[in-house]
Amino acid sequence: MNSMPSPLALRPFRPEADAPALRRWITTRAELVTWAGPAFTWPLDDAQLTTYAAEPDRHTWTAASPDGTPLGHVSVRGTRLGRVLIAPEARGRGLGESLLTLAVARAFGELGLSALDLGVYTHNTAAVRLYEKLGFRAGRVLEDVEEVDGVRWSALQMHLTAPDR
């Protein structure tokens, strides 16, 4: 297997440096809910991101290009992978797969987790396909868990077990 170096590197999310980019990538309430469910209020602000980054047992990372430009974000809290986002201007280049591959490796490696879970809205089919490609398996669907702009959204719960060590 030819292993190409990742176009991204994960570094700790620093609200003071990284919040402006994250806020720039999320331009509507629907995008905010897609990214984080109901955890934040619109509009997203630095105070909310600072509180989020300080949550106990949460590991937050910025995915940066080789020159240090922030291009993505991801976090793990407990065994829950979430808050996955690629900068709009960087989408369509396979960076989501790179970001998730790095995050899963961190979760199973340095964090020592034996499994990961996530939730993704069922209408976010590109994300569902990517998670499946990386080995996540669909579990149950939680119907109508959120309402955005008058539309009820359902969430798919997914699971990935660490490879044998």
Side-chain angles (χ1 to χ4, degrees):
M1 182 172 166
N2 185 6
S3 179
M4 297 287 296
S6 176
L8 297 174
L10 292 184
R11 62 169 170 73
F13 173 69
R14 299 184 310 264
E16 64 285 350
D18 298 328
L22 200 49
R23 285 188 292 99
R24 196 170 53 252
W25 303 339
I26 300 170
T27 61
T28 66
R29 180 176 177 269
E31 289 175 351
L32 179 62
V33 174
T34 298
W35 175 63
F40 296 94
T41 57
W42 180 256
L44 186 60
D45 59 35
D46 290 348
Q48 291 180 85
L49 289 170
T50 298
T51 300
Y52 150 71
E55 289 174 358
D57 196 32
R58 180 169 309 272
H59 303 272
T60 56
W61 297 291
T62 294
S65 67
D67 71 2
T69 302
L71 293 177
H73 181 86
V74 64
S75 78
V76 172
R77 184 173 191 189
T79 62
R80 190 98 173 151
L81 176 74
R83 314 279 163 79
V84 178
L85 187 64
I86 293 293
E89 67 274 13
R91 293 179 187 157
R93 303 190 334 223
L95 297 179
E97 183 174 353
S98 295
L99 168 67
L100 287 166
T101 299
L102 291 169
V104 167
R106 286 267 179 106
F108 292 154
E110 86 183 39
L111 300 183
L113 300 179
S114 59
L116 282 170
D117 297 292
L118 63 83
V120 59
Y121 292 108
T122 55
H123 66 273
N124 192 350
T125 54
V128 171
R129 280 194 308 270
L130 178 54
Y131 293 132
E132 288 174 337
K133 179 180 180 180
L134 294 174
F136 283 86
R137 295 294 165 242
R140 59 182 213 167
V141 173
L142 306 176
E143 299 289 341
D144 300 333
V145 294
E146 197 64 45
E147 184 174 328
V148 178
D149 299 330
V151 177
R152 301 295 295 174
W153 290 5
S154 297
L156 174 63
Q157 302 302 297
M158 301 186 81
H159 181 81
L160 177 68
T161 302
D164 292 335
R165 296 173 192 234

